[in-house]
Amino acid sequence: MIRYFTAGESHGKALVGIVEGMPAGIEISAEYINHQLWRRQQGYGRGGRMKIETDTVEILSGVRFGKTIGSPIAVIIQNRDWKNWTDKMAIEGTGAGIEKISVPRPGHADYAGAKKYGFDDIRNVIDRSSARETAMRVACCTFARKLLEDCQVFIGSHVLSIGPVLIKDRKKIDRLIIRSGENSCFVSEKADSSDVRMLDRSAEARAITAIKKSKKSGDTLGGVFEIIVSGVPVGLGSYVHYDRKLDGLLAQALMSIQAIKGVEIGEGFANAAKFGSEVHDEFMLRSRKIMRKTNRAGGMEGSMTNGEMIVLHAAMKPIATLVKPLRAVDLRTKKIVQSRYERSDVCAVPAASVIGESVVAPVLANALLEKFGGDSLKELLNRYKI
Ligand SMILES: Cc1cc2nc3c(=O)[nH]c(=O)nc-3n(C[C@H](O)[C@H](O)[C@H](O)COP(=O)(O)O)c2cc1C
């Protein structure tokens, strides 16, 4: 099974990752991964860091002549900002003369993290809890994404809302999704051409205005994005045991992204307010093929894929670092002070949607490997018989 680990601080020398359990024979290149890293850095409302560095990955092991060889894959992304932080983030020395951060920012890991690990300098918490870590997650997960693509399973996403601005013409978007047929990446490519990854152009303009307004007033915004997975066979995951339930595993992966506070499978929340007859997806037959009239369940029944597209929604809270400061307590002096501001995004929902696409990839790849198995792509494809 595929596992991955990430290490590295936001302002440290580099981010590193290890991906273990990838079958052999999957064609992959740094360029392919860099494209996903680039997508993670886009979106209207990002902060200064996106301007100072373009992430690129170096593959150090586990790939030979452009293909995975089954051994652990090691990857590295250099932090170009490191040169400005060599003293503050030094590996050696005592830290003498370096200012300690003692004011925790509301909405961040700062307070609980400092208490938990007994730090008198919150920098230790800030630098690892930061969403900078997701650059390496995207890099690691792209290996699983490629495996899925080789099995004709495609992951796409787009943004449904930013702050109070919601997409309006859902029917038009649904038609686009249906038109994308077996390749939901088509939806993603369309979304990539929008600065806020919205498929509704009037909502896009209103969302950009909302972000501008929020920036002007020193505030921030969150939003909701949708993940669509096409080409998924029936019966991935299982209903037999809690830790094999695919819906639970997908929700965990999405919820583990910084600032994601809600996850929904299909129309989960809206369905809760409806009658069963309005919710459950009736069966139909088309040329003896078993199909559904609707997909309100988001492609999952009994914690397994049911052959329809998987549809997932994730809600991101507004960015917690505000130019307009919130009240905080200085842990050293125990006095009420204003929270600190550190270079920050105003809105990162478009980027989060790309991270969302990435983190579900190893979950789905593992479900595929669990069902069909295979030490190499060839073996997997023979068993999967596409
Ligand atoms: C792509 C992305 C970019 C983010 N950028 C920022 C940022 O610039 N400033 C900030 O305060 N929080 C940012 N966050 C959110 C914080 O990392 C997150 O809210 C914080 O670590 C606390 O974790 P929690 O919200 O999961 O409780 C970002 C999150 C993501 C997914």
Side-chain angles (χ1 to χ4, degrees):
M1 302 304 274
I2 301 164
R3 300 177 291 161
Y4 69 96
F5 294 91
T6 73
E9 279 75 41
S10 178
H11 300 100
K13 191 169 185 180
L15 300 171
V16 296
I18 292 188
V19 186
E20 205 279 314
M22 283 299 297
I26 295 158
E27 257 181 55
I28 192 96
S29 66
E31 192 188 346
Y32 181 86
I33 299 167
N34 288 342
H35 177 62
Q36 298 303 331
L37 292 176
W38 175 82
R39 292 180 68 226
R40 191 201 77 96
Q41 291 194 289
Q42 304 311 299
Y44 190 84
R46 302 305 303 277
R49 186 159 194 169
M50 299 309 125
K51 294 188 186 88
I52 57 170
E53 58 187 335
T54 303
D55 289 327
T56 53
V57 74
E58 187 185 351
I59 302 171
L60 301 175
S61 76
V63 176
R64 188 160 183 250
F65 305 134
K67 284 186 180 172
T68 57
I69 53 172
S71 30
I73 296 161
V75 285
I76 187 164
I77 299 171
Q78 303 292 342
N79 282 332
R80 294 185 211 285
D81 203 17
W82 158 247
K83 59 179 182 298
N84 302 315
W85 289 78
T86 47
D87 53 346
K88 285 193 202 139
M89 293 300 294
I91 301 287
E92 291 178 358
T94 61
I98 301 294
E99 187 200 356
K100 288 181 178 172
I101 296 172
S102 57
V103 179
R105 299 160 304 165
H108 275 280
D110 300 10
Y111 176 67
K115 281 274 173 203
K116 178 177 171 68
Y117 291 103
F119 296 139
D120 64 353
D121 183 358
I122 298 172
R123 170 63 55 203
N124 294 342
V125 182
I126 296 174
D127 251 71
R128 180 60 191 166
S129 60
S130 153
R132 172 83 191 129
E133 177 258 350
T134 59
M136 184 44 76
R137 271 208 256 181
V138 169
C140 289
C141 293
T142 299
F143 290 90
R145 179 196 279 261
K146 182 60 174 41
L147 177 151
L148 291 170
E149 284 181 9
D150 290 345
C151 296
Q152 301 300 301
V153 175
F154 296 98
I155 307 171
S157 74
H158 62 109
V159 170
L160 297 177
S161 69
I162 285 188
V165 180
L166 281 84
I167 56 154
K168 267 197 181 146
D169 201 347
R170 178 73 227 198
K171 283 204 175 117
K172 195 172 154 200
I173 291 170
D174 281 341
R175 281 198 297 275
L176 179 80
I177 292 170
I178 290 167
R179 215 163 8 107
S180 77
E182 289 306 305
N183 191 344
S184 53
C185 285
F186 173 71
V187 173
S188 252
E189 281 164 23
K190 283 253 173 227
D192 284 351
S193 69
S194 155
D195 276 344
V196 282
R197 305 204 72 243
M198 278 178 146
L199 296 169
D200 173 336
R201 293 294 164 179
S202 82
E204 174 191 30
R206 284 180 290 120
I208 289 174
T209 307
I211 296 169
K212 275 185 188 157
K213 243 169 119 176
S214 131
K215 185 176 182 185
K216 213 168 166 192
S217 61
D219 223 320
T220 59
L221 289 171
V224 177
F225 61 84
E226 176 169 272
I227 307 267
I228 311 153
V229 190
S230 63
V232 204
V234 183
L236 299 187
S238 179
Y239 61 91
V240 301
H241 202 246
Y242 71 88
D243 58 358
R244 293 175 58 192
K245 288 178 181 271
L246 192 60
D247 46 6
L249 296 168
L250 289 167
Q252 193 282 332
L254 286 172
M255 196 66 109
S256 76
I257 301 171
Q258 289 82 342
I260 299 302
K261 297 298 154 191
V263 176
E264 179 180 47
I265 315 270
E267 294 171 32
F269 284 100
N271 285 348
K274 293 181 184 166
F275 289 110
S277 55
E278 298 170 300
V279 169
H280 302 299
D281 304 305
E282 287 188 278
F283 284 96
M284 60 185 228
L285 281 172
R286 190 172 287 160
S287 315
R288 296 180 62 82
K289 195 177 169 213
I290 297 174
M291 295 178 75
R292 301 301 177 103
K293 285 187 176 163
T294 51
N295 183 22
R296 300 186 192 104
M300 309 272 321
E301 286 170 317
S303 302
M304 296 167 292
T305 52
N306 65 6
E308 299 298 310
M309 280 189 187
I310 299 177
V311 182
L312 308 162
H313 297 151
M316 183 178 196
K317 74 184 189 186
I319 295 289
T321 307
L322 306 180
V323 171
K324 185 171 66 185
L326 296 173
R327 214 171 300 165
V329 170
D330 189 322
L331 301 183
R332 194 168 46 83
T333 62
K334 301 284 185 302
K335 288 208 169 110
I336 293 279
V337 291
Q338 290 192 330
S339 65
R340 296 176 50 259
Y341 178 76
E342 197 157 294
R343 187 183 53 204
S344 190
D345 299 328
V346 176
C347 174
V349 181
S353 63
V354 174
I355 301 162
E357 288 177 19
S358 303
V359 298
V360 300
V363 177
L364 293 170
N366 276 335
L368 203 72
L369 286 169
E370 183 187 52
K371 185 158 175 65
F372 299 101
D375 293 310
S376 67
L377 179 66
K378 196 173 165 198
E379 198 172 32
L380 173 63
L381 289 177
N382 274 339
R383 290 172 182 180
Y384 186 37
K385 291 200 176 32
I386 53 167

